[in-house]
Amino acid sequence: RLEQRRRPPFLRGRQLVLPVGGVFEIDPAAYAPEARLAELERNGLDRAFVSLAPTSEPSADLVELWHAEAADLERASDGRLVPLGYETAVPGLRGAIVRAPQLRLGARLLDDLERDGQFAFVHPAAVNAGGAPPWFQSGVAYAQQMVTAYATWIGSLAQRHRRLKLVFALLAGGAPFQIERLVRRGLDPRAPFSPNVFFETSSYGERALELCLQTFGASQILFGSDAPIDKVADARHATAQFGSALEAQLLAVNASSL
């Protein structure tokens, strides 16, 4: 479908052209279900949540196609690829992506997810980084969105959605590192500590994980890899530094609670 499109988002060879985010070099074959399953197998993982990424700026027709084929994807993979809805509480799915900048505007979606017992996966959205270097877009702009979304959650939304489980991608942009400062500036020190919030680890290493573990403990940290952009093996290496018991908590126990 992407190869057939003439307006962004579209794919030309190995170039993914996006309306806002610009042009990215990708390997289309790496996104195929067979490739995703093979990487799970190589890294000793049983299953993984998969989704459309807001940073890929999927158009309405692509979102519709994703939802239409989600059940078939899970069935064809024997339940090893577990799809999430895209900003919609799709019946039968386990959860849905929520764009970080839209979290404060997504009351109806959050209500629907909470009602249906699904979780929200808060993820950065596309951004135009202008003339900034390539690392700025994902390393700074995405992280900034996540910190803001997390602050929005603990500041104004958590009290309304006490039963909703949330997963914040990329450790909420490092938000756990900021809690002491937020408290010093007036945040209720009890506000960040809610057992229904999880922090996904993709792209971070041992030092960042250690800070998050010191703040929230192992029960709220969730293994993630951002594959195929990053390698699952690299993410496994980061968590393996903390020992097999803690790694099992991050990879299996916490994920099963979702």
Side-chain angles (χ1 to χ4, degrees):
R1 181 68 67 90
L2 281 172
E3 295 90 338
Q4 299 169 358
R5 295 176 59 90
R6 296 190 176 184
R7 293 183 178 179
F10 62 75
L11 189 63
R12 293 294 181 269
R14 297 172 68 94
Q15 287 194 328
L16 178 64
V17 182
L18 303 176
V20 173
V23 180
F24 293 88
E25 289 285 334
I26 67 168
D27 177 8
Y31 290 81
E34 297 79 12
R36 298 291 87 243
L37 290 169
E39 192 165 19
L40 290 182
E41 198 69 33
R42 287 194 300 272
N43 289 278
L45 299 179
D46 181 51
R47 63 186 64 188
F49 291 113
V50 295
S51 63
L52 291 178
T55 48
S56 66
E57 304 177 62
S59 54
D61 61 313
L62 295 175
V63 172
E64 182 180 358
L65 180 62
W66 171 258
H67 289 160
E69 296 187 352
D72 291 339
L73 173 64
E74 185 167 8
R75 187 164 42 250
S77 67
D78 292 327
R80 299 189 69 188
L81 299 178
V82 183
L84 301 179
Y86 189 84
E87 297 196 306
T88 305
V90 179
L93 299 188
R94 299 287 293 275
I97 285 278
V98 180
R99 285 177 294 167
Q102 297 300 312
L103 183 63
R104 64 185 178 84
L105 305 174
R108 180 174 179 179
L109 173 57
L110 299 182
D111 287 342
D112 289 346
L113 292 170
E114 188 171 21
R115 178 200 65 211
D116 294 348
Q118 299 186 22
F119 72 91
F121 182 29
V122 185
H123 190 287
V127 61
N128 188 335
W135 54 264
F136 185 93
Q137 185 175 42
S138 57
V140 177
Y142 291 173
Q144 183 180 42
Q145 288 184 25
M146 296 305 302
V147 171
T148 301
Y150 179 68
T152 299
W153 171 257
I154 60 177
S156 61
L157 296 175
Q159 293 301 311
R160 173 174 175 171
H161 301 283
R162 294 178 181 272
R163 295 182 296 107
L164 176 64
K165 293 183 177 181
L166 284 91
V167 176
F168 284 90
L170 48 117
L171 296 181
F177 318 156
Q178 307 296 332
I179 288 174
E180 291 170 320
R181 178 175 175 82
L182 298 178
V183 170
R184 285 183 177 275
R185 295 298 182 263
L187 176 69
D188 183 339
R190 298 167 297 178
F193 299 99
S194 175
N196 59 322
V197 173
F198 298 83
F199 300 90
E200 181 263 350
T201 66
S202 64
S203 76
Y204 285 97
E206 184 178 351
R207 283 174 292 184
L209 292 177
E210 186 170 4
L211 288 170
C212 288
L213 288 165
Q214 289 176 354
T215 303
F216 288 102
S219 63
Q220 290 180 251
I221 312 300
L222 188 69
F223 176 83
S225 67
D226 204 17
I229 295 174
D230 289 333
K231 295 180 180 179
V232 174
D234 292 341
R236 284 296 306 266
H237 177 76
T239 57
Q241 308 308 305
F242 298 94
S244 58
L246 190 144
E247 189 178 24
Q249 176 89 36
L250 272 57
L251 269 71
V253 177
N254 295 348
S256 67
S257 70
L258 298 174

